[in-house]
Amino acid sequence: CTVALAVTAAGQLLTPYIVYKGAEGGKIDKRELPNHPSGAIYTVQKKAWFDERVMLHWVEQVLRPYVATAPVGVIPIIFLDSFKVHLLGSVANAIQNIGVQVKYIPAGCTGLVQPIDVGINKPYKSNMTKVYTSWLLHQDPNVPIRAAKREDVSAWILQALAGITDDMVKNGA
């Protein structure tokens, strides 16, 4: 899966967006994802990646609700890396149409200036490793380890994010 995290300049972590491998309208999308834990927005894509449809869905489901809370007179800005989907006119237009300015980070500079990469991803990935390792260690050593269910992975993601403190978010933003 792909987990998309976004942080505001004020240090607010926006709703996590999780993309699983699957077909839009297929079994995973229609039967499984509605049963995943609340606290995230879920979708599917054939490679569990952000394509144009997924990115536009993220804009509507994650970015638009946040922008609706922006104080009057404040023009939000989003910093995007040079990932090809971010550069699509349809994506830039969708973001601008909800009142957000789009700024692109030059290729090769994401790790230097994008707050989520600088201050949030490392502790999140560390927490995710701890949660996954704990799950592995609680498996019966006399039985082959079963593949994790997507619903388990969603719960792990939310558990790992719960370990991200407000100070971590504010210091990373």
Side-chain angles (χ1 to χ4, degrees), residues 2-154:
T2 296
V3 180
L5 302 175
V7 176
T8 71
Q12 177 185 353
L13 185 63
L14 299 186
T15 305
Y17 189 88
I18 304 170
V19 184
Y20 283 102
K21 186 176 181 179
E24 183 181 12
K27 182 178 125 181
I28 295 166
D29 189 20
K30 294 297 181 192
R31 295 185 192 165
E32 191 178 309
L33 294 183
N35 299 316
H36 282 229
S38 62
I41 296 172
Y42 304 96
T43 195
V44 293
Q45 195 270 347
K46 67 181 179 179
K47 294 183 180 179
W49 200 243
F50 266 65
D51 59 12
E52 183 177 23
R53 177 191 64 83
V54 171
M55 186 68 195
L56 292 171
H57 188 249
W58 178 87
V59 169
E60 287 302 313
Q61 297 298 310
V62 177
L63 188 58
R64 181 184 288 276
Y66 166 70
V67 170
T69 68
V72 175
V74 171
I75 299 173
I77 298 173
I78 188 168
F79 294 95
L80 298 172
D81 58 23
S82 296
F83 178 52
K84 70 178 186 174
V85 169
H86 294 161
L87 300 172
L88 293 174
S90 60
V91 170
N93 287 338
I95 294 170
Q96 291 168 349
N97 286 341
I98 61 172
V100 178
Q101 288 185 5
V102 179
K103 300 291 182 185
Y104 293 102
I105 299 167
C109 296
T110 302
L112 300 173
V113 297
Q114 193 172 31
I116 198 81
D117 282 347
V118 174
I120 305 303
N121 280 346
K122 187 176 187 309
Y124 163 70
K125 288 177 181 179
S126 176
N127 289 349
M128 192 66 184
T129 298
K130 290 174 188 171
V131 171
Y132 175 68
T133 301
S134 175
W135 176 80
L136 279 176
L137 292 173
H138 286 89
Q139 300 301 304
D140 184 342
N142 300 313
V143 177
I145 296 175
R146 68 167 173 84
K149 296 176 184 174
R150 281 177 285 275
E151 192 171 350
D152 293 334
V153 174
S154 293

